[in-house]
């Protein structure tokens, strides 16, 4: 950080410096009395932008989306003591399931409250002031509190280092009186991380991997959701071409060009791409990179029966057939060594080999008053996904509609499949759009999920962001209905288009925000909303999305309640039977 004197540093500005080193340019905030000093000091840094969300849970989801989409692959959050921490805990659990680097900074009362056993607000009982610290231990690489000014820099650095080394969230509590206290000038963070990092078994893993690969006859490469935190798209393509084998992706791991000749489509056994599934099940070796084996991913297969042919590249380990685990390793270093190796034998395909992709269920959109269908809507979404788009899908049938969208090269698809927290997508889309402002996020969300986190539409409008939001209004929780019918699956039908345009209104007093840099032009609210009931409505809306590209586009897609993808029906049957074959 240029032109900063040693005595200009306090703990808050120290944290801001660490954010910059990580490449984090935006941080997500809910203010409270315990974190205001920290926020004041972060605001002093002109290279960081504060994004204020509507509640702490949404803040966590937004950071999740930011960590996925940003070049930094990391995010930071500031929340109040305990009430904020416990509210955000669910979102951080989801980030943990995907190994996302999310730094949660929680303000807390002054140190005298802890050293003197004084009662304070925001605690479940006068004696329980560590509830959030304990709660975060199971879903973070570190859950710590800064106790003294002298230890502040080391405690913060050690936690952030663990976040980077383990690619997991961390939780840091910072007393309000320490946040503004002077501290030392920071040494480079990468120096600290390198000193603490031990990844020295790549050679052993490469030898074991090479022996197995060269003795196989029909190997395949499987990519999962966590590959996004392990390898870049370019490295993935180099690896695929080095190995020469078919490549299949889990539905949340589509990180290779879908026009690549080795791409064999989605691997979602029992639900999608049955030809690709047959190929995998007939293979004698699976190389799985960043793959999750949750029941939602495996569906119709028992992964325990596949251990004899499975090599798993996880974050810092390689699992081999027979149960041997080689750790610690760096997957990126191991893959680079594989690409450079002259010992690995590329697969030679028999004559006539070519990938087989499942037929699309998209249907032509008619210029008529025919009712909107999932199939015609899919065709419309396909036209909206451009080369610089980011596709985000909430839990439910939107998983499957996303799986039927062909992704242009470089387009990322984000979904939260293993944790499957309904409502995650709206704030996650906010985070992704903040992280990638030069491309539009295309969000697909059901009406039930939308009702959980709808408030962040207001944040998007306030920030003049321009995502495309497709609300699948099928009158309730249709994923749950597919599993088991019941009155609990039905919700109030909101006037969604009116709601979307109501999130910004003229204030009743001036100035409404004395800190605003410029006045908001309420005569040109940066959002439009359309209710789509017919296919002609859809065509008009698509045209409007293009002509008013600087605005948030909110499209309420009115779908018949029994109109769903065949995959959702199949999933519902499998879930209701406990995923039995």
């Amino acid at each position: 950080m240029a032109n900063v004197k040693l005595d200009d540093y306090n703990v808050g500005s120290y944290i801001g410096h660490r954010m910059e080193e990580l490449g984090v340019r935006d941080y997500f905030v809910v203010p409270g009395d315990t974190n205001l000093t920290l926020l004041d000091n972060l605001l002093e840094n002109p290279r960081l932008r504060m994004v204020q969300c509507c509640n702490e849970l949404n803040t966590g989801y937004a950071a999740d989306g930011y960590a996925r989409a940003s070049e930094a692959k990391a995010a930071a959050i500031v929340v109040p003591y305990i009430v904020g921490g416990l509210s955000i805990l669910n979102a951080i659990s989801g980030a943990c399931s995907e190994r996302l680097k999310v730094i949660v900074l929680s303000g807390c009362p002054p140190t005298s409250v802890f050293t003197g056993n004084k009662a304070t607000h925001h605690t479940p009982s006068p004696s329980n002031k560590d509830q959030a610290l304990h709660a975060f231990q199971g879903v973070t690489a570190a859950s710590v509190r800064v106790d003294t000014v002298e230890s502040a820099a080391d405690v913060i650095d050690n936690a952030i280092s663990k976040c980077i080394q383990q690619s997991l969230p961390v939780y840091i509590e910072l007393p309000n009186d320490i946040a503004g206290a002077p501290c030392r000038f920071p040494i480079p963070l990468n120096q600290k991380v390198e000193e603490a990092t031990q990844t020295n078994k790549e050679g052993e893993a490469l030898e074991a991997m090479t022996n197995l690969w060269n003795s196989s006859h029909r190997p395949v490469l499987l990519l999962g959701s966590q590959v996004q935190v392990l390898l870049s798209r370019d490295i993935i393509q180099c690896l695929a071409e080095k190995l020469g084998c078919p490549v299949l992706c889990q539905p949340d791991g589509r990180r290779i060009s879908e026009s690549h000749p080795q791409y064999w489509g989605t691997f979602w056994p029992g639900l999608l791409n049955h030809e690709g599934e047959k190929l995998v099940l007939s293979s004698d070796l699976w190389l799985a990179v960043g793959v999750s084996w949750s029941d939602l991913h495996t569906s119709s297969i028992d992964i325990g029966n596949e251990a004899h042919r499975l090599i798993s590249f996880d974050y810092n380990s390689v699992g081999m057939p027979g149960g041997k685990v080689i750790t610690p390793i760096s997957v990126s270093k191991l893959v680079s060594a594989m690409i450079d190796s002259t010992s690995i034998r590329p697969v030679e395909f028999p004559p006539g080999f070519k990938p087989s992709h499942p037929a699309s269920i998209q249907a032509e959109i008619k210029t008529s008053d025919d009712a909107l269908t999932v199939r015609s809507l899919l065709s419309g979404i396909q036209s909206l996904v451009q080369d610089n788009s980011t596709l985000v899908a909430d839990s439910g049938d939107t998983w499957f509609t996303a799986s039927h969208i062909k992704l242009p090269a470089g387009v990322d698809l984000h979904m939260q499949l293993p944790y499957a927290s309904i409502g995650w997508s709206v704030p996650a889309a906010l985070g992704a759009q903040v992280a990638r402002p030069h491309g539009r996020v295309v969000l697909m969300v059901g009406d039930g999920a939308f009702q959980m986190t709808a408030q962040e539409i207001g944040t998007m409008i306030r920030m003049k962001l321009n995502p495309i939001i497709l609300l699948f209004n099928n009158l309730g929780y249709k994923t749950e209905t597919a599993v088991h019918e019941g009155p609990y699956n039905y919700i109030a039908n909101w006037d969604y288009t009116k709601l979307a345009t109501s999130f910004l209104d003229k204030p009743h007093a001036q100035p409404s925000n004395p800190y605003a840099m410029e006045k908001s032009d309420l005569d040109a609210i940066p959002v439009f909303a359309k209710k789509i009931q017919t296919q002609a409505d859809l065509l008009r809306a698509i045209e409007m999305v293009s002509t008013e590209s600087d605005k948030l586009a909110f499209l309420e897609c009115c779908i018949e309640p029994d109109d769903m993808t065949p995959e959702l029906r199949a999933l519902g049957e499998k879930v209701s039977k406990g995923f039995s074959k």
Side-chain angles (χ1 to χ4, degrees):
M1 204 181 276
N3 302 320
V4 178
K5 300 176 183 177
L6 179 61
D7 56 3
D8 286 339
Y9 264 91
N10 57 42
V11 175
S13 59
Y14 188 96
I15 291 171
H17 182 87
R18 290 302 189 220
M19 288 185 191
E20 283 195 83
E21 284 184 288
L22 291 173
V24 172
R25 297 292 177 260
D26 310 270
Y27 57 99
F28 300 88
V29 167
V30 171
D33 63 306
T34 56
N35 63 26
L36 300 181
T37 301
L38 173 59
L39 292 178
D40 282 344
N41 283 286
L42 290 176
L43 285 169
E44 291 294 319
N45 189 326
R47 292 165 295 280
L48 299 176
R49 178 172 60 166
M50 180 181 73
V51 179
Q52 189 172 337
C53 296
C54 298
N55 62 54
E56 292 92 348
L57 175 64
N58 291 355
T59 303
Y61 288 150
D64 178 309
Y66 188 93
R68 293 167 184 263
S70 69
E71 292 185 9
K73 296 299 179 186
I77 308 164
V78 182
V79 295
Y81 175 58
I82 294 188
V83 289
L86 295 186
S87 178
I88 206 174
L89 181 62
N90 182 57
I92 300 306
S93 297
C96 176
S97 76
E98 306 266 10
R99 297 200 81 114
L100 300 177
K101 302 181 187 75
V102 178
I103 301 167
V104 183
L105 298 156
S106 172
C108 64
T111 50
S112 60
V113 171
F114 298 101
T115 57
N117 284 324
K118 295 173 64 175
T120 188
H121 60 292
H122 291 335
T123 58
S125 70
S127 61
N128 187 355
K129 298 170 185 174
D130 301 332
Q131 182 61 49
L133 281 172
H134 297 320
F136 276 92
Q137 287 176 355
V139 295
T140 59
S143 178
V144 298
R145 177 184 296 144
V146 177
D147 292 320
T148 66
V149 173
E150 293 75 18
S151 67
D154 286 335
V155 171
I156 292 164
D157 284 350
N158 289 341
I160 294 176
S161 296
K162 288 179 179 178
C163 176
I164 298 167
Q165 292 159 3
Q166 300 179 37
S167 193
L168 286 171
V170 293
Y171 174 80
I172 305 170
E173 285 190 355
L174 183 64
N176 217 8
D177 57 327
I178 292 179
C183 72
R184 68 168 187 254
F185 189 88
I187 64 172
L189 182 62
N190 59 1
Q191 180 179 331
K192 286 200 162 194
V193 173
E194 289 170 3
E195 289 172 356
T197 300
Q198 295 181 343
T199 53
N200 52 13
K201 293 191 177 181
E202 291 84 11
E204 178 186 347
L206 177 62
E207 181 180 2
M209 157 70 202
T210 301
N211 292 337
L212 279 171
W213 186 266
N214 289 345
S215 62
S216 66
H217 301 287
R218 299 179 308 280
V220 295
L221 174 62
L222 303 177
L223 304 177
S225 66
Q226 291 182 20
V227 76
Q228 67 178 324
V229 302
L230 298 172
L231 303 170
S232 69
R233 280 182 171 271
D234 289 343
I235 293 297
I236 291 169
Q237 181 166 317
C238 288
L239 174 63
E241 292 173 354
K242 172 69 176 184
L243 300 176
C245 63
V247 181
L248 293 97
C249 303
Q250 290 190 301
D252 49 354
R254 295 163 65 183
R255 298 280 292 176
I256 189 170
S257 171
E258 298 186 0
S259 60
H260 195 281
Q262 290 171 241
Y263 178 64
W264 263 74
T266 303
F267 180 58
W268 205 345
L271 295 172
L272 276 173
N273 189 13
H274 300 302
E275 288 298 316
E277 180 181 346
K278 288 179 184 177
L279 179 77
V280 174
L281 295 181
S282 65
S283 168
D284 60 345
L285 186 65
W286 303 355
L287 173 56
V289 182
V291 166
S292 171
W293 299 113
S294 74
D295 53 0
L296 285 173
H297 285 97
T298 55
S299 184
S300 63
I301 66 172
D302 183 352
I303 196 61
N305 296 331
E306 311 300 339
H308 65 284
R309 55 177 167 182
L310 177 62
I311 302 175
S312 293
F313 283 16
D314 297 317
Y315 187 74
N316 61 355
S317 65
V318 172
M320 307 296 291
K324 181 180 179 180
V325 177
I326 302 173
T327 189
I329 62 101
S330 162
V331 170
S332 61
K333 291 180 180 178
L334 173 57
V335 168
S336 294
M338 290 171 62
I339 293 170
D340 295 337
S341 173
T342 58
S343 300
I344 293 177
R345 171 181 56 81
V347 173
E348 294 184 7
F349 289 121
F353 166 85
K354 57 180 160 181
S356 174
H357 300 304
S360 173
I361 67 169
Q362 296 179 23
E364 181 183 358
I365 309 172
K366 302 175 182 178
T367 55
S368 71
D369 290 332
D370 288 359
L372 181 70
T373 65
V374 168
R375 291 172 182 263
S376 59
L377 178 55
L378 268 169
S379 182
I381 296 170
Q382 185 70 69
S383 71
L384 294 173
V385 178
Q386 305 297 314
D387 289 344
N388 60 352
S389 297
T390 301
L391 192 59
V392 177
D394 210 288
S395 301
D397 209 11
T398 47
W399 284 337
F400 299 111
T401 52
S403 296
H404 286 288
I405 299 296
K406 181 174 174 59
L407 302 181
V411 170
D412 288 332
L413 166 62
H414 299 297
M415 56 176 73
Q416 195 194 59
L417 194 55
Y419 196 66
S421 187
I422 296 174
W424 157 88
S425 70
V426 176
L430 163 65
Q433 189 67 78
V434 168
R436 296 187 64 180
H438 302 300
R440 298 183 79 177
V441 169
V442 179
L443 166 64
M444 298 184 292
V445 58
D447 52 333
F450 179 77
Q451 289 196 11
M452 294 187 176
T453 52
Q455 309 96 317
E456 296 314 323
I457 301 296
T459 306
M460 297 177 191
I461 294 171
R462 186 182 76 239
M463 296 184 69
K464 297 185 178 180
L465 303 178
N466 66 336
I468 304 166
I469 299 174
L470 297 119
L471 175 75
F472 285 53
N473 184 0
N474 51 15
L475 303 177
Y477 296 114
K478 292 308 162 186
T479 302
E480 309 300 340
T481 300
V483 175
H484 183 80
E485 179 62 278
Y488 29 73
N489 294 329
Y490 296 88
I491 59 177
N493 187 41
W494 294 358
D495 189 338
Y496 293 102
T497 53
K498 186 180 292 184
L499 175 69
T501 56
S502 72
F503 279 112
L504 191 64
D505 197 9
K506 293 181 179 180
H508 64 273
Q510 294 292 343
S512 60
N513 179 0
Y515 297 98
M517 296 298 293
E518 55 187 45
K519 294 182 179 179
S520 176
D521 182 4
L522 290 173
D523 294 326
I525 294 177
V527 57
F528 74 84
K530 294 294 179 184
K531 185 186 292 287
I532 300 172
Q533 296 177 293
T534 69
Q535 297 190 39
D537 290 342
L538 178 58
L539 288 172
R540 286 190 289 268
I542 291 171
E543 177 64 23
M544 196 168 182
V545 168
S546 176
T547 57
E548 301 193 36
S549 59
D550 59 329
K551 294 183 178 181
L552 185 153
F554 186 93
L555 310 181
E556 178 190 353
C557 305
C558 300
I559 300 167
E560 291 297 316
D562 60 351
D563 184 8
M564 60 184 73
T565 62
E567 294 83 15
L568 178 58
R569 294 187 190 277
L571 179 65
E573 292 175 4
K574 291 177 183 296
V575 173
S576 64
K577 295 176 182 177
F579 288 99
S580 59
K581 291 185 180 179

